[in-house]
Amino acid sequence: MKIWLDGGLRDVGSARVSVFDHGLTVGDGVFETVKAVDGTPFALTRHLDRLTRSARGLGLPDPDHDEVRRACAAVLAANPMPLGRLRITYTGGHGPLGSDRGEHGPTLVVALGETRRRPDSTAVVTVPWTRNERGALSGLKTTSYAENVVALTRAHEQGASEALFANTVGQLCEGTGSNVFVVLDGEMHTPPLASGCLAGITRALTVEWTGARETDLPLDVLERADEIFLTSTLRDVQAVHRVDGRELPGAPGPVTAKAMRLFQERSGDDLDP
Ligand code: PLP
């Protein structure tokens, strides 16, 4: 397996990042996960734009898009696979022990993992912890993911594949690695970005392609929604068949099935929509 580090391809076994890299010591970094179909990244321009927004949110220098594109192409060419996930990690670089950034420039790592198609439907749980829609990291895709790891572990313990958060005012927000949509009276709704959710790329494309509405939704909408689905780079559009103790028999329901179909058709037309 070859990865990109320090401006070139390296064997993963011999690639070295400082043990004082701030991505490791204080979670000072940002990242993207990009789907790659037969060696071509999906929606790479949108991912690079979000990487830059996240980096600016942390006060990191703008990543060099040309270098990241070159890195992705090189890693994909060196590790051919039918369905892959590129992981672009961009950190504050190595610095002193503590939270001050050092003098060194950022670290860029691009790696690739094999991935698989997810089932059409899944179970989710809600968790008692909240997303802080007013926090400094709100809406940024940072490597400070430990809260998501804790929540996802809770979901797995309950036989679910995703955990959903409310925000601090009790509104539905997002999952640990996905956005959430609900169907009410035949109409699709998803929480607005002001809820504190990540500006998911799959979410944005689903809103564009289906006309879903952005609506403030109380968490208990999950108890009465006719259909619920998740969107993410690795799930595409995935129906929910159980939320906490509530079953949603027949998932994917008709509206979700239409969103899945539209997403599949439209995303196949253009790999950089
Ligand atoms: N929300 C969070 C917290 C995420 O980490 C992700 C994806 O990694 C998403 C939503 C979905 O975003 P995307 O569709 O761009 O993968």
Side-chain angles (χ1 to χ4, degrees):
M1 169 68 64
K2 300 266 193 204
I3 64 147
W4 182 278
L5 172 68
D6 285 340
L9 277 180
R10 327 254 163 232
D11 276 321
V12 71
S14 55
R16 294 285 175 265
V17 172
S18 164
V19 292
F20 297 135
D21 190 283
H22 270 204
L24 174 67
T25 56
V26 290
D28 177 28
V30 297
F31 77 103
E32 286 295 320
T33 299
V34 184
K35 184 169 63 171
V37 184
D38 292 328
T40 305
F42 177 71
L44 184 57
T45 303
R46 289 184 193 244
H47 283 284
L48 293 178
D49 289 345
R50 187 171 65 188
L51 186 73
T52 299
R53 287 202 306 278
S54 298
R56 287 183 182 171
L58 290 195
L60 291 171
D62 284 1
D64 176 346
H65 286 196
D66 289 340
E67 184 189 359
V68 183
R69 282 184 186 277
R70 255 186 296 122
C72 292
V75 168
L76 284 165
N79 308 282
M81 57 184 72
L83 190 58
R85 54 197 290 186
L86 281 163
R87 161 79 189 215
I88 304 166
T89 309
Y90 184 71
T91 78
H94 92 252
L97 275 178
S99 299
D100 300 327
R101 280 202 188 117
E103 300 297 309
H104 291 269
T107 305
L108 170 69
V109 183
V110 178
L112 181 70
E114 201 143 19
T115 188
R116 59 191 159 78
R117 256 195 61 73
R118 305 283 173 125
D120 280 352
S121 74
T122 193
V124 302
V125 295
T126 55
V127 285
W129 310 296
T130 52
R131 280 273 193 262
N132 182 358
E133 69 281 9
R134 286 165 297 142
L137 302 187
S138 176
L140 306 181
K141 198 164 166 66
T142 77
T143 55
S144 302
Y145 247 48
E147 192 163 57
N148 291 319
V149 173
V150 171
L152 194 59
T153 304
R154 168 75 65 96
H156 289 161
E157 285 164 1
Q158 296 178 58
S161 80
E162 181 59 305
L164 298 180
F165 290 92
N167 64 14
T168 63
V169 290
Q171 287 163 339
L172 180 62
C173 185
E174 66 175 343
T176 67
S178 61
N179 293 105
V180 58
F181 286 68
V182 298
V183 177
L184 300 167
D185 296 326
E187 284 207 345
M188 280 176 251
H189 301 265
T190 192
L193 299 183
S195 71
C197 68
L198 185 76
I201 287 161
T202 323
R203 169 191 180 280
L205 292 171
T206 302
V207 167
E208 279 172 34
W209 292 342
T210 66
R213 290 165 52 181
E214 298 178 89
T215 312
D216 287 325
L217 301 159
L219 185 65
D220 68 7
V221 75
L222 299 174
E223 295 165 20
R224 56 193 157 79
D226 302 318
E227 301 174 34
I228 302 169
F229 63 88
L230 306 176
T231 60
S232 82
T233 292
L234 297 179
R235 296 173 192 269
D236 293 335
V237 176
Q238 187 181 41
V240 169
H241 61 240
R242 177 161 53 84
V243 51
D244 295 326
R246 180 185 175 216
E247 302 286 339
L248 289 116
V255 180
T256 305
K258 194 171 153 205
M260 288 166 116
R261 216 170 32 247
L262 258 177
F263 190 84
Q264 218 174 359
E265 288 167 9
R266 298 288 300 263
S267 61
D269 288 348
D270 181 359
L271 285 172
D272 205 359

